[in-house]
């Protein structure tokens, strides 16, 4: 369901998986909030063996908070999450516990993608795409405005390519980029992974299994708070026909942008041909109006496929042929290459 075309030259990355070594210590309760006594429970009787013994004063910072109130350095918000402020070690421990709890669930898996390879791939920056990027990125920091970004777009307009490019360009260089695979019957916040300094990308385009709801977006808002604590991000690409519910909109920690136009198809083809060493074929296309007319109106995915068809045409091996033979083939038969690549309308 991805908009990214198959790249035969790309090598599969190692699948991202949870670190199996970070398991809780034996005997640990697995809880990160203090265990308060329940209201009405029988409290232990005070010791009476030494009534005259002085009672040691309890420092204020060690006194327990009243029942029903958060403990020290804990601030509860109106949502389902509890955020900690204060001791850095305490906050780090809470994040580690959240990650461990997430790993115990059956979360989505995916494959790590090389950031450098993403940045090397041809990418057309249309005027509309640039405006969408400005909506998603904070100009002061150069980072994504929110931990969760949702890109709503028609199918085959290149939304997956845009999502991965945003993660590659606007997250920290130490952040691991992971493309997740969908294997659920319905979107679930509990299936989303949580790791430190990770940038996840997920396509939601299945007409039955990827139907969105306001409840799922509410869960994304809670998940966004945990992502922020882990310095991680999640970018979802959603097919436009799945974004119908009027309750679907921005949430706390969630940014929604819409693609209303795709990149120029001819520019996409030219960039991909030039990247593969076919500059002469690009020049031939620019002087051939019929080839330009054949590309007009193509989606981004169709334009990339047309370029790959030209590059990897019959009797041509792009890995072993020399630069001279590629240039000669482009000069000798540009029209034949374009007829093969142009889709039939």
């Amino acid at each position: 369901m991805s908009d990214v075309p198959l790249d035969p030259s790309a090598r599969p990355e190692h699948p991202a998986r949870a670190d199996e070594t970070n398991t809780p210590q034996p005997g640990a309760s697995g809880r990160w909030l203090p265990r308060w006594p329940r209201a009405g429970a029988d409290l232990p009787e005070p010791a009476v063996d030494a009534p005259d013994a002085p009672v040691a004063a309890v420092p204020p910072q060690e006194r327990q908070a009243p029942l029903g109130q958060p403990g020290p350095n804990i601030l509860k918000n109106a949502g389902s999450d509890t955020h900690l402020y204060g001791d850095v070690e305490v906050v780090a421990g809470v994040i580690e516990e959240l990650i461990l709890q997430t790993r115990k669930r059956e979360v989505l898996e995916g494959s790590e993608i090389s950031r450098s390879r993403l940045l090397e791939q041809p990418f057309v920056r249309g005027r509309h795409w640039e405006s969408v990027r400005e909506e998603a990125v904070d100009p002061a920091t150069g980072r994504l405005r929110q931990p969760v970004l949702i890109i709503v777009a028609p199918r085959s307009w290149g939304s997956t390519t845009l999502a991965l490019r945003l993660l590659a360009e606007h997250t920290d260089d130490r952040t691991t980029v992971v493309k997740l695979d969908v294997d659920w019957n319905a979107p679930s916040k509990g299936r989303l992974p949580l790791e430190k300094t990770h940038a996840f990308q997920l396509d939601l385009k299945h007409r039955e299994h990827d139907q969105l709801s306001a409840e799922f977006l509410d869960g994304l808002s809670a998940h966004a708070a945990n992502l922020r604590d882990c310095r991680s991000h999640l970018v979802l690409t959603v097919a436009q026909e799945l974004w119908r519910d009027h309750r679907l909109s921005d949430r706390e920690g969630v940014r929604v942008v819409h693609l209303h136009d795709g990149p120029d198809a001819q520019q996409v083809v030219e960039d991909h041909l030039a990247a593969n060493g076919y500059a002469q074929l690009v020049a031939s296309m620019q002087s051939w109006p019929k080839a330009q007319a054949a590309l007009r109106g193509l989606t981004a995915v169709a334009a990339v496929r047309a370029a790959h068809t030209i590059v990897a045409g019959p009797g041509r091996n792009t890995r072993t042929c020399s630069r001279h033979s590629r240039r000669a083939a482009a000069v000798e038969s540009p029209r034949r290459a374009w007829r093969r690549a142009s889709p039939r309308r």
Side-chain angles (χ1 to χ4, degrees):
M1 295 185 286
S2 170
D3 287 341
V4 177
L6 178 63
D7 185 357
S9 64
R11 297 181 180 178
E13 300 289 340
H14 296 291
R17 60 182 181 179
D19 184 359
E20 299 177 354
T21 63
N22 293 334
T23 56
Q25 296 288 338
S29 65
R31 296 173 56 89
W32 57 272
L33 288 176
R35 185 185 297 274
W36 307 115
R38 293 176 299 176
D42 295 329
L43 299 178
E45 295 292 333
V48 295
D49 294 338
D52 299 330
V55 179
V58 180
Q61 62 272 20
E62 297 182 6
R63 296 174 184 171
Q64 289 188 347
L67 296 181
Q69 296 183 10
N73 292 334
I74 298 179
L75 172 63
K76 280 195 172 183
N77 59 15
S80 59
D81 289 314
T82 302
H83 301 280
L84 275 74
Y85 303 90
D87 191 348
V88 176
E89 295 182 358
V90 174
V91 176
V94 172
I95 296 175
E96 292 290 348
E97 182 65 21
L98 286 173
I99 293 174
L100 289 174
Q101 291 176 3
T102 303
R103 288 175 179 173
K104 295 177 183 179
R105 301 194 300 260
E106 187 180 355
V107 298
L108 300 178
E109 297 181 350
S111 301
E112 180 179 337
I113 301 180
S114 169
R115 179 186 300 267
S116 60
R117 185 173 298 167
L118 286 173
L119 296 175
E120 291 172 357
Q121 293 179 356
F123 184 71
V124 177
R125 297 181 181 276
R127 180 179 302 177
H128 176 60
W129 280 32
E130 188 64 22
S131 65
V132 171
R133 186 192 67 83
E134 293 174 356
E135 291 183 50
V137 177
D138 185 348
T141 62
R143 305 301 186 194
L144 297 178
R145 295 181 185 271
Q146 299 294 348
V148 176
L149 174 64
I150 300 178
I151 302 176
V152 183
R155 297 177 184 274
S156 302
W157 275 26
S159 58
T160 301
T161 299
L162 175 61
L164 291 173
R165 191 75 179 199
L166 289 173
L167 290 176
E169 291 184 349
H170 300 288
T171 59
D172 190 271
D173 292 341
R174 295 166 293 181
T175 300
T176 303
V177 181
V178 178
K179 180 166 177 50
L180 297 174
D181 300 321
V182 181
D183 63 349
W184 55 28
N185 294 324
S188 170
K189 176 250 183 183
R191 298 290 306 279
L192 298 175
L194 180 66
E195 294 289 341
K196 287 184 178 179
T197 59
H198 274 60
F200 301 101
Q201 191 275 320
L202 178 63
D203 291 322
L204 300 181
K205 300 178 182 180
H206 195 280
R207 290 180 173 85
E208 296 180 3
H209 301 321
D210 292 337
Q211 290 285 344
L212 297 181
S213 64
E215 290 73 21
F216 175 67
L217 259 65
D218 292 339
L220 277 182
S221 180
H223 187 63
N226 296 333
L227 287 171
R228 180 180 283 110
D229 291 338
C230 293
R231 301 185 304 279
S232 296
H233 291 274
L234 170 66
V235 178
L236 304 176
T237 61
V238 180
Q240 185 170 324
E241 65 266 24
L242 301 179
W243 195 264
R244 295 176 177 175
D245 195 328
H246 68 278
R247 298 174 299 169
L248 302 180
S249 59
D250 289 349
R251 299 289 198 279
E252 178 67 27
V254 180
R255 184 79 170 184
V256 181
V257 297
H258 295 261
L259 281 182
H260 301 295
D261 193 11
D264 180 73
Q266 180 175 333
Q267 187 64 50
V268 171
V269 173
E270 291 179 0
D271 285 5
H272 279 265
L273 291 178
N276 285 274
Y278 285 86
Q280 288 286 349
L281 189 53
V282 173
S284 300
M285 180 203 67
Q286 293 174 345
S287 63
W288 192 22
K290 187 174 181 180
Q292 300 174 26
L295 295 176
R296 194 172 298 120
L298 291 184
T299 64
V301 173
V304 172
R305 288 174 180 168
H308 287 182
T309 301
I310 297 169
V311 172
R316 200 179 297 176
N317 189 327
T318 59
R319 292 181 180 271
T320 59
C321 67
S322 65
R323 182 179 303 177
H324 174 76
S325 62
R326 290 200 300 261
R327 184 181 296 112
V331 173
E332 290 173 1
S333 56
R335 284 175 169 75
R336 183 172 58 187
W338 280 110
R339 290 192 186 99
R340 181 175 61 250
S342 301
R344 296 181 179 180
R345 298 184 182 276

